[in-house]
Amino acid sequence: ELKVEQNPLFLSMQEGKNYTIYCNYSTTSDRLYWYRQDPGKSLESLFVLLSNGAVKQEGRLMASLDTKARLSTLHITAAVHDLSATYFCAVDEGGGGADGLTFGKGTHLIIQP
Amino acid sequence: EPEVTQTPSHQVTQMGQEVILRCVPISNHLYFYWYRQILGQKVEFLVSFYNNEISEKSEIFDDQFSVERPDGSNFTLKIRSTKLEDSAMYFCASSGEQYFGPGTRLTVT
């Protein structure tokens, strides 16, 4: 059974600081997703990482994937309050298509002004 | 920009009643999915659907659940006899790259 573990599960940080959220998974996969969820809302796709060594950046967020270590990171640079949300990583074990995603428990991020 | 849509946004039903949740996936996508999220918990895969049949389903997707694509655009999730523990957000997604709809909040009383 595929396990996806995120840490930390809860993070409170100040604006302007940098931090990294980690996502470990238990099986071989080269397809990993990061989503953002605001309270009561749907899942907003942030990044899709499709190969070992993939790195993608959007604004203050950067995601990377190391398939050999079975690890993805989401790095936040100079955090701002608007980035407060819950962030989920999700792994596609099947390589795209039939298999659904297995999600981590999410990282609840609060950024204090 | 194309998006996944879902109706209704909120459904309240009594235990034992049947509910149908509706989704319109992105038109050129081939795979469709249902997920659920119990309040405050992680998102859980229910079922995937391709070429008019179920591709994969999780342990959660028992005989109480069924999916259908009744026409060329809609994709439905039916819960035959709702239980209290079915209360959750239900998300439809389509792929491509697993774009999620806005969700239906199901409350079973």
Side-chain angles (χ1 to χ4, degrees), chain A residues 33 35 37 41-43 48 88 97-101 103-105, chain B residues 31 33 35 37 42-43 45 48 55-56 91 97-98 100-102:
Chain A
Y33 297 73
Y35 291 92
Q37 187 178 41
K41 302 291 186 183
S42 185
L43 294 143
V48 183
F88 290 94
D99 292 336
L101 300 181
F103 281 78
K105 289 185 177 179
Chain B
Y31 285 94
Y33 310 84
Y35 293 84
Q37 185 180 32
K42 69 176 182 178
V43 179
F45 168 69
S48 62
S55 295
E56 294 287 338
F91 294 107
E97 290 180 352
Q98 301 255 6
F100 279 71

Side-chain angles (χ1 to χ4, degrees), chain B residues 65-105:
Chain B
F65 292 89
S66 62
V67 288
E68 199 177 36
R69 191 157 158 83
D71 54 43
S73 57
N74 288 286
F75 178 50
T76 62
L77 174 70
K78 182 193 290 187
I79 308 174
R80 206 156 286 122
S81 177
T82 50
K83 308 187 197 73
L84 293 175
E85 54 264 37
D86 292 328
S87 295
M89 281 289 284
Y90 288 81
F91 294 107
C92 174
S94 71
S95 214
E97 290 180 352
Q98 301 255 6
Y99 293 99
F100 279 71
T104 294
R105 179 171 297 283

Side-chain angles (χ1 to χ4, degrees), chain A residues 41-105:
Chain A
K41 302 291 186 183
S42 185
L43 294 143
E44 176 190 352
S45 179
L46 295 175
F47 301 107
V48 183
L49 303 170
L50 299 177
S51 61
N52 185 40
V55 178
K56 290 193 175 180
Q57 182 162 7
E58 181 74 34
R60 299 174 190 275
L61 301 178
M62 183 173 72
S64 66
L65 179 61
D66 181 344
T67 58
K68 293 178 182 174
R70 301 179 187 176
L71 170 68
S72 180
T73 60
L74 180 66
H75 186 74
I76 302 155
T77 302
V80 292
H81 178 67
D82 286 352
L83 291 179
S84 298
T86 299
Y87 293 85
F88 290 94
C89 66
V91 176
D92 181 348
E93 188 175 11
D99 292 336
L101 300 181
T102 301
F103 281 78
K105 289 185 177 179

